[in-house]
Amino acid sequence: MEKNGPSVSIETADHFELRFRIAGIGSRFLAFLIDRTIQVGVLVALFFLMLLILLTGSGFALFGERLVRLVEPLGQWVIALLILAEGVVSIGYFLLFEYLWNGSTPGKRVVKIRVIRNDGRPISFIDSALRNVLRFVDLIGGVYPVGLVAMFIDSRNRRLGDLAAGTLVVEDAGGKAPLFIKNQPRVHQSDQLLKQAVAEMSGEDYDLLSRFLERRNEMDSERRKELAWEIYVRIFNQPGHRPATDGDLEKALDTIANLYRETTRIL
Amino acid sequence: MPQNNAESTHAVVIVGIRDEASQAPVARAVAQVAKNASLEQIEKRIKTLPWTLTKSANSSTAARLVKLLEEAGAVVRVDPPLEEPVVAREAQPDVERAPRAAVEPSAPQPIAPGSGPGIAAERPQEDSWVVSAEALEIGPLTLGGILDRTFQICKNHFWKLIGILVVPWLVIALLSMIVALGFGMFWLAGSFAGAGTEFPWLLLIPALGAAVVVIIVAIAVFYLSQGALIYAVSAIYLGRPFQVLSSYRLVLDKLVRFIFTSALCAFFATMLVVVPILVGVVLFFVSKGLFGSGWWSALTWIPLAIVPTYAIPKLLLFDKVVVLEDKAYFQALNRSWNLMTGKADSPWPAGYWLRFVILMHLFVFINIAISLLFSVPATIFQFLVPESLTTVARVVSQIMSNAGSLIASLFGSVGVVVFYYDIRNRKEGFDLSMLAAASEPRR
């Protein structure tokens, strides 16, 4: 999968280099929308839970009366309390998850990004608090207009909260397994042509071949055949020196890829 | 704990050419990845080496550039040097490798202020030929990836892309102003000449003519700018050079086909809405006749509404097809339909139609955010100015609102082009073909 955006490398005290790819603005926006949906879902669920409690045992007739009795003495403070509650849920959600989940939230997990400190270490509670308190400024209007401008201008896509707290949002590789980790069956290929072609393959030939094999299932069948043929011809570019494929070009390409991996010890 | 936050970027410098015969291949190789430079300009520039092509390539981009340039016959230096990947070292035990001497560790280079550690600053700042990093990183993307790429393109080429989009606004504003001024002055002149304040009906004929001209010009310029934008974003995506004027020029040849294909698409879209409505009306009366109440036909409303909801988005890639694939009319609509049919081999949402619909909704949110940025200050400004300046405030507010719409529309347009290429990468292995073309087999 191709990624977007710049990357940062951070040198640790023992001169070990950590590399991170900066999360794109789009991914961050998507993560925020997912988190916001969860928050709204939780608030709505709480509201209905409250309704249920008020309704239970009293019946619908008494419900309105109870609600009025509950709200009336508070007057306009109700609105203030509701805004406060919404703020607490909004900020508390990010603060808590980012602190407990090593810079991640459910939304960030879905799009595979997380928050780290500028020095590559996990964020602390204070960092999380600082970047999330400033979320109020980034979030004016509810859809991140200020944050969007800040991220658009900053080379590392940082919003105001990130700049203040010294944090970065990076793509989370999450220890992804290599593509060919499975133990492939050994290829006992006696065909000299095949061996020679594989020995002559460049890294880019293999890159092309492996990408094709990885993604062939979502390709249109005609185009899939064409591409398979193009790659085959690229590897065996002399018409007289092509091994028999028994009509199954992709199987031949699979064999070539396996043989190349065996020869070069690529996982 | 000392920390060093450096962008892991490399400068790629052509420091020499192996022999004279290699000059043309090297120029062609640079032309594949350089933007804003013709082949002639590149050939001329190559004669005055060293030439820093980029100061901000990531490792993989730098490695690909080195490979491309070395194969063409250039001697290339990378600052800071690239590490030789283990896999690449082991990959070809018996094959003669391309000379790597060009990627030798070099002496420390002078550092330009603000250019980041280890980045050479040999090329004058005013030289804007920079290798496009986007060019070498195409492939299937997730929804988040499409949004990221959209923002990346808009961020890196903001003013050029806005320049393309702003042209129709300016042309229409100018034309409207000319027409309004012309007729206003004519009317005023008539009033002073004693014609009274009655409406000069004869003025209607040239007014209608002018209105028709303005509408035709507006349509033409609008489609020109849309086409130019599609072309420009495509060029950025593929790492090809583009300029605002050349984008317009390239679309000019296809303008008539573009407008008529758009009209055809609009016709089909209208039919897709009108026909289900008519069917619904007929079903209402049928149901009234059969069951005594027409409201039973409400059961068919949802299936009927599904038809346009499903079909119209499938036609909406037609403009990319017209501009980028040179197909028009039914061919373009058919191609758009085919592209939007099928499923990606990716997590939810997998269907191309659903991906498109979700993407459009995400752009609505982005549009709201951008519009807020402009409308909120405009509204505050309107409240703050004294009453005597209400007209000025209104004009400023309108300009800001238009600017907001313009920028918001940019993101959507760019996003759909990226989405179009994403489908082609997935369904047709378009990126693989590009990769194959960019790196000819060694033998």
Side-chain angles (χ1 to χ4, degrees), chain B residues 282-297 300:
Chain B
V282 170
L283 284 174
F284 179 85
F285 288 108
V286 170
S287 138
K288 197 174 183 182
L290 288 175
F291 309 111
S293 168
W295 292 109
W296 284 106
S297 69
T300 62

Tab-separated table of all heavy atoms in Angstrom, chain B residues 282-297 300:
chain	number	residue	atom	x	y	z
B	282	VAL	N	-47.729	6.605	-11.569
B	282	VAL	CA	-48.572	5.575	-12.194
B	282	VAL	C	-48.969	4.538	-11.142
B	282	VAL	O	-50.134	4.151	-11.033
B	282	VAL	CB	-47.838	4.920	-13.387
B	282	VAL	CG1	-48.606	3.693	-13.883
B	282	VAL	CG2	-47.643	5.922	-14.505
B	283	LEU	N	-47.983	4.120	-10.350
B	283	LEU	CA	-48.255	3.093	-9.322
B	283	LEU	C	-49.258	3.594	-8.286
B	283	LEU	O	-50.045	2.823	-7.746
B	283	LEU	CB	-46.950	2.665	-8.640
B	283	LEU	CG	-46.054	1.741	-9.459
B	283	LEU	CD1	-44.733	1.500	-8.739
B	283	LEU	CD2	-46.748	0.402	-9.714
B	284	PHE	N	-49.205	4.910	-8.029
B	284	PHE	CA	-50.150	5.502	-7.079
B	284	PHE	C	-51.587	5.256	-7.565
B	284	PHE	O	-52.445	4.803	-6.803
B	284	PHE	CB	-49.871	7.007	-6.951
B	284	PHE	CG	-50.801	7.718	-6.011
B	284	PHE	CD1	-50.550	7.753	-4.648
B	284	PHE	CD2	-51.947	8.357	-6.492
B	284	PHE	CE1	-51.409	8.404	-3.782
B	284	PHE	CE2	-52.808	9.009	-5.622
B	284	PHE	CZ	-52.543	9.038	-4.268
B	285	PHE	N	-51.802	5.557	-8.861
B	285	PHE	CA	-53.159	5.392	-9.395
B	285	PHE	C	-53.537	3.916	-9.531
B	285	PHE	O	-54.685	3.542	-9.303
B	285	PHE	CB	-53.291	6.128	-10.735
B	285	PHE	CG	-53.301	7.632	-10.547
B	285	PHE	CD1	-52.211	8.413	-10.914
B	285	PHE	CD2	-54.396	8.257	-9.954
B	285	PHE	CE1	-52.205	9.776	-10.709
B	285	PHE	CE2	-54.396	9.640	-9.745
B	285	PHE	CZ	-53.297	10.401	-10.118
B	286	VAL	N	-52.554	3.091	-9.896
B	286	VAL	CA	-52.818	1.644	-9.995
B	286	VAL	C	-53.227	1.118	-8.627
B	286	VAL	O	-54.219	0.381	-8.491
B	286	VAL	CB	-51.562	0.893	-10.520
B	286	VAL	CG1	-51.734	-0.614	-10.385
B	286	VAL	CG2	-51.288	1.262	-11.960
B	287	SER	N	-52.477	1.514	-7.620
B	287	SER	CA	-52.755	1.041	-6.268
B	287	SER	C	-54.112	1.561	-5.772
B	287	SER	O	-54.850	0.864	-5.076
B	287	SER	CB	-51.602	1.471	-5.356
B	287	SER	OG	-52.039	1.926	-4.163
B	288	LYS	N	-54.446	2.794	-6.190
B	288	LYS	CA	-55.740	3.366	-5.816
B	288	LYS	C	-56.873	2.538	-6.429
B	288	LYS	O	-57.887	2.248	-5.769
B	288	LYS	CB	-55.817	4.811	-6.288
B	288	LYS	CG	-56.910	5.607	-5.625
B	288	LYS	CD	-56.828	7.062	-6.041
B	288	LYS	CE	-57.906	7.853	-5.305
B	288	LYS	NZ	-57.898	9.255	-5.697
B	289	GLY	N	-56.650	2.164	-7.700
B	289	GLY	CA	-57.647	1.365	-8.399
B	289	GLY	C	-57.795	-0.018	-7.791
B	289	GLY	O	-58.899	-0.548	-7.665
B	290	LEU	N	-56.669	-0.595	-7.387
B	290	LEU	CA	-56.692	-1.981	-6.904
B	290	LEU	C	-57.121	-2.092	-5.442
B	290	LEU	O	-57.906	-2.958	-5.063
B	290	LEU	CB	-55.306	-2.615	-7.072
B	290	LEU	CG	-54.864	-2.957	-8.510
B	290	LEU	CD1	-53.446	-3.461	-8.513
B	290	LEU	CD2	-55.804	-3.997	-9.129
B	291	PHE	N	-56.541	-1.210	-4.592
B	291	PHE	CA	-56.774	-1.360	-3.148
B	291	PHE	C	-57.635	-0.257	-2.532
B	291	PHE	O	-57.862	-0.236	-1.328
B	291	PHE	CB	-55.428	-1.406	-2.402
B	291	PHE	CG	-54.453	-2.391	-2.967
B	291	PHE	CD1	-53.301	-1.962	-3.607
B	291	PHE	CD2	-54.704	-3.755	-2.880
B	291	PHE	CE1	-52.399	-2.865	-4.130
B	291	PHE	CE2	-53.796	-4.651	-3.405
B	291	PHE	CZ	-52.650	-4.213	-4.039
B	292	GLY	N	-58.008	0.696	-3.326
B	292	GLY	CA	-58.845	1.776	-2.805
B	292	GLY	C	-58.043	2.945	-2.265
B	292	GLY	O	-58.550	4.049	-2.137
B	293	SER	N	-56.769	2.708	-1.939
B	293	SER	CA	-55.919	3.813	-1.474
B	293	SER	C	-54.612	3.810	-2.260
B	293	SER	O	-53.957	2.770	-2.380
B	293	SER	CB	-55.619	3.664	0.014
B	293	SER	OG	-54.584	4.564	0.369
B	294	GLY	N	-54.256	5.008	-2.764
B	294	GLY	CA	-53.014	5.135	-3.537
B	294	GLY	C	-51.774	5.028	-2.679
B	294	GLY	O	-50.676	4.801	-3.172
B	295	TRP	N	-51.928	5.194	-1.356
B	295	TRP	CA	-50.755	5.225	-0.475
B	295	TRP	C	-50.069	3.868	-0.346
B	295	TRP	O	-48.946	3.797	0.146
B	295	TRP	CB	-51.153	5.765	0.894
B	295	TRP	CG	-51.504	7.216	0.777
B	295	TRP	CD1	-52.737	7.773	0.874
B	295	TRP	CD2	-50.603	8.282	0.464
B	295	TRP	NE1	-52.685	9.115	0.646
B	295	TRP	CE2	-51.374	9.469	0.389
B	295	TRP	CE3	-49.237	8.359	0.218
B	295	TRP	CZ2	-50.823	10.700	0.092
B	295	TRP	CZ3	-48.678	9.590	-0.069
B	295	TRP	CH2	-49.465	10.742	-0.128
B	296	TRP	N	-50.732	2.810	-0.794
B	296	TRP	CA	-50.043	1.506	-0.806
B	296	TRP	C	-48.828	1.542	-1.724
B	296	TRP	O	-47.886	0.785	-1.565
B	296	TRP	CB	-50.999	0.394	-1.251
B	296	TRP	CG	-51.958	-0.001	-0.170
B	296	TRP	CD1	-53.287	0.299	-0.100
B	296	TRP	CD2	-51.655	-0.740	1.012
B	296	TRP	NE1	-53.845	-0.193	1.053
B	296	TRP	CE2	-52.841	-0.848	1.762
B	296	TRP	CE3	-50.488	-1.319	1.531
B	296	TRP	CZ2	-52.913	-1.508	2.972
B	296	TRP	CZ3	-50.545	-1.977	2.745
B	296	TRP	CH2	-51.753	-2.062	3.455
B	297	SER	N	-48.872	2.454	-2.697
B	297	SER	CA	-47.733	2.543	-3.633
B	297	SER	C	-46.471	3.052	-2.929
B	297	SER	O	-45.374	2.984	-3.477
B	297	SER	CB	-48.078	3.450	-4.803
B	297	SER	OG	-48.180	4.785	-4.347
B	300	THR	N	-43.375	1.071	-2.878
B	300	THR	CA	-42.446	1.002	-4.024
B	300	THR	C	-41.490	2.198	-4.053
B	300	THR	O	-40.587	2.248	-4.872
B	300	THR	CB	-43.223	0.982	-5.351
B	300	THR	OG1	-43.958	2.216	-5.455
B	300	THR	CG2	-44.168	-0.191	-5.437
